[in-house]
Amino acid sequence: MRIEDGIKLDFDDVLLRPKRSTLGSRAEVLLERTFTFRHGKAPWTGVPIIASNMDGVGTLEMAEKLSEFSMFTTLAKSVDLTTVETIPDVNHFSISIGIKDADVETLHKAFKKHPNMKFITIDVANGYSERFGDFIEKVRGLYPEKIIIAGNVVTADMTQELVLRGADIVKVGIGPGSVCTTRIKTGVGYPQLSAIIECADAAHGLGAQIIADGGCKSPGDVAKAFAAGADFVMLGGMFAGHDEGIEGRLISEKQDFFTGETKKVVTFYGMSSDTAMDIYNDGMAWYRSSEGRTVQIPYRGNVEHTVRDILGGLRSTCTYIGATKLKDVPKCTSFIRVNKQYNDVFEKHDL
Ligand code: 5GP
C-alpha cells in the first residue's frame, strides 16, 4: 500500500483569477475550435461541448438541436441507427458502443446504413481493463479513417495507452457524474479538475485530445474544465430534463408538498443505475451493484435556453481572463485555490 501525497482538486476547489483584457465585448469571443486527430482522417470544427450518451440526453433530437449551435452529441447506446433513415449532421454526433462482440456487429450494421458517419464512441465505466485496449485496437483496425472516442480513465498512463491503442479522443472521468455513485460504492475515483489537467497533458503530448466527462453543475464548471486543458466537455445532468431528451416515459407530474402546486418533473438516471439495468439487462446481475442514481429533476423546456446560458457564461469567462478565443483559455488561466465550497448552497441535482 502507498499514499500519494500531492493534492488533487475538483471544480469547487478553485476559481479563475480575473485578468486585464483587451476584449471590447463578449460577442468578440470565438468559441469554435478546429481539431485534427492523431488517427482519424477528417478534421473537426465546432463548439466543443458534448451531450452525454445517457438516456434522456443522448437522443437524435438532441443531436439535431445541438448541431444548430455547432455542438456535439454522443448518442445513447440504445439508439438503433439501422432503423433511422435521416441522421443528424455527421460532424456533430457519434454512435456509442460497449466492448462486446455484439457491439462490433452493431457498428458494422450502422456503418452499412450510414457510411458517412465519422465518429465512434467506445464507452465503458472502467477503461483500465486490458480487454478495453484490445477492443479499441480492433475497432481501429476495422475503421482506420474514423475518429474514435474512448474512455473512461483518469490518469496520464492510461490516457497514453488508449491513444497508442488507437483512440483519438480519450474520455476522462471516474466518479464525478451527477447521478454517479462509483465513489460511494467502490471508494474509487479521482478529483475531476486534476484528472483533466493530468490527462490533457498526456494526450496533448501524443497529438490527441481529451473530453472532460462529468461533474459540471454550472457554466462556471464548464469554463474551469476548459481552463484545465479539456479539449471537449461532456455534460449529462446539465442537458437533462429538456424537450429534446424526454420520451413520454420519463416525464410526470408532481405536487409540491408545501404549495400544492403541480409541476412537471423528469426522471433522470445513471446508465449503471437499477433503472437502466432493469431496462437493458433484465435487472442487475448477481455479481454487480448499482453505481448510479435515479433522480427526479425539474422539467426545463427547450434546451436552447440552457445552451445559450452555457455559451454566454463561457464568453464571459473569456472576457474576464483576457482570452479572445476558447483555445487560449488554458494559457490565460490562473486558478486560485479556495478553501470553502463557495457554491455549496446548491444541491448536486438542483441543476
Ligand atoms: P454529469 O454531467 O451528469 O455530471 O455526468 C455525466 C457522466 O456521468 C456521463 O457522461 C457518464 O460518464 C457518467 N455516468 C452516467 N451514468 C452513470 C452511472 O450510472 N454511473 C457512473 N458511475 N457514471 C455514470
Side-chain angles (χ1 to χ4, degrees):
M1 189 275 289
R2 73 188 190 101
I3 297 180
E4 286 181 26
D5 263 340
I7 292 176
K8 304 293 176 188
L9 301 168
D10 252 316
F11 295 131
D12 286 345
D13 296 323
V14 296
L15 287 170
L16 289 155
R17 176 194 286 277
K19 287 183 183 159
R20 206 170 156 276
S21 166
T22 52
L23 274 155
S25 151
R26 290 168 200 195
E28 291 169 24
V29 174
L30 179 69
L31 294 181
E32 288 208 340
R33 292 205 58 183
T34 296
F35 294 111
T36 50
F37 300 102
R38 181 180 164 106
H39 307 280
K41 283 284 166 289
W44 181 86
T45 297
V47 175
I49 294 177
I50 306 181
S52 169
N53 52 353
M54 298 173 74
D55 286 5
V57 178
T59 62
L60 288 162
E61 293 78 7
M62 186 67 81
E64 285 286 356
K65 191 68 194 178
L66 293 189
S67 74
E68 290 173 20
F69 294 88
S70 285
M71 287 158 71
F72 196 91
T73 301
T74 43
L75 297 174
K77 287 176 185 164
S78 56
V79 177
D80 179 1
L81 287 169
T82 60
T83 61
V84 177
E85 292 308 322
T86 318
I87 53 170
D89 180 345
V90 289
N91 288 308
H92 294 299
F93 84 94
S94 170
I95 183 174
S96 304
I97 54 165
I99 57 168
K100 296 193 182 115
D101 291 342
D103 289 304
V104 178
E105 274 312 300
T106 304
L107 206 54
H108 286 331
K109 286 184 190 153
F111 274 110
K112 197 163 173 212
K113 177 103 179 166
H114 307 289
N116 295 334
M117 290 194 306
K118 289 186 179 168
F119 288 83
I120 301 168
T121 298
I122 310 172
D123 191 24
V124 293
N126 171 9
Y128 283 76
S129 78
E130 200 162 325
R131 202 170 135 231
F132 183 53
D134 294 344
F135 190 86
I136 295 169
E137 212 168 292
K138 178 171 173 180
V139 176
R140 172 53 66 209
L142 292 168
Y143 294 97
E145 313 256 295
K146 304 294 176 190
I147 301 153
I148 297 181
I149 298 169
N152 282 18
V153 298
V154 284
T155 51
D157 55 343
M158 210 56 195
T159 300
Q160 287 165 339
E161 163 100 11
L162 299 190
V163 171
L164 296 175
R165 294 284 206 126
D168 294 292
I169 310 172
V170 175
K171 208 148 68 77
V172 173
I174 293 185
S178 60
V179 284
C180 163
T181 56
T182 295
R183 290 176 184 175
I184 299 162
K185 287 292 175 74
T186 68
V188 174
Y190 209 95
Q192 184 68 349
L193 189 89
S194 291
I196 297 167
I197 293 169
E198 293 165 29
C199 295
D201 183 53
H204 295 165
L206 292 173
Q209 284 82 18
I210 68 150
I211 298 173
D213 176 20
C216 290
K217 306 175 291 302
S218 59
D221 288 343
V222 178
K224 289 174 191 176
F226 282 121
D231 303 286
F232 298 83
V233 178
M234 179 174 276
L235 307 174
M238 285 181 71
F239 279 146
H242 296 97
D243 292 330
E244 291 76 4
I246 298 171
E247 305 154 36
R249 72 187 167 93
L250 297 177
I251 191 157
S252 56
E253 294 203 328
K254 197 175 177 181
Q255 208 173 20
D256 188 281
F257 181 78
F258 295 106
T259 64
E261 205 184 324
T262 304
K263 286 184 180 161
K264 282 185 180 170
V265 290
V266 176
T267 302
F268 177 51
Y269 49 86
M271 299 314 293
S272 310
S273 64
D274 288 328
T275 309
M277 291 301 154
D278 286 345
I279 298 171
Y280 299 114
N281 290 5
D282 274 340
M284 190 71 66
W286 65 268
Y287 53 86
R288 296 183 65 155
S289 77
S290 151
E291 284 180 28
R293 260 188 281 263
T294 300
V295 296
Q296 289 201 315
I297 56 172
Y299 164 66
R300 297 196 287 162
N302 196 289
V303 77
E304 195 163 326
H305 175 75
T306 300
V307 168
R308 290 191 192 283
D309 198 43
I310 296 169
L311 299 185
L314 268 182
R315 285 199 189 91
S316 191
T317 305
C318 290
T319 54
Y320 268 118
I321 66 170
T324 50
K325 40 187 188 292
L326 189 60
K327 184 172 190 263
D328 292 344
V329 166
K331 76 173 183 215
C332 296
T333 289
S334 300
F335 282 123
I336 310 155
R337 273 186 54 203
V338 289
N339 58 9
K340 171 161 175 13
Q341 292 206 348
Y342 58 91
N343 59 356
D344 58 3
V345 287
F346 294 113
E347 279 293 311
K348 208 173 179 191
H349 303 298
D350 194 8
L351 295 161

